[in-house]
Amino acid sequence: MSDVVIRPPATLKQQAEFLDYITGRCVMRDGATARETLSVLSEDDVNEIRAIAMRLHRMAPHENAIRRAVTGK
């Protein structure tokens, strides 16, 4: 039996906060973006990044409609 855990997709806000968390580890003390960084990602981090990528791939064909819906144009 597999130990894959099925959980509901993260909300857009949760996804944004996760990406802020990951990229926040790539910033220097003075707030500047690091030119290079090494980061340790947990299995959960990698799974979340993969899930976000899959959602973006599914949304990509609808990008123009999404932009119109969000901007009201």
Side-chain angles (χ1 to χ4, degrees), residues 33-66:
T33 301
R35 293 182 70 135
E36 285 187 353
T37 188
L38 295 174
S39 191
V40 176
L41 300 173
S42 70
E43 181 180 359
D44 287 342
D45 291 342
V46 173
N47 289 334
E48 189 60 36
I49 292 168
R50 283 180 155 167
I52 291 169
M54 286 188 308
R55 284 186 214 106
L56 288 171
H57 280 291
R58 286 194 305 267
M59 292 169 64
H62 311 286
E63 183 173 358
N64 290 335
I66 294 167

Side-chain angles (χ1 to χ4, degrees), residues 17-37:
E17 289 171 349
F18 172 74
L19 292 175
D20 280 342
Y21 163 73
I22 294 292
T23 57
R25 299 190 297 188
C26 305
V27 176
M28 305 297 283
R29 288 183 184 180
D30 65 357
T33 301
R35 293 182 70 135
E36 285 187 353
T37 188

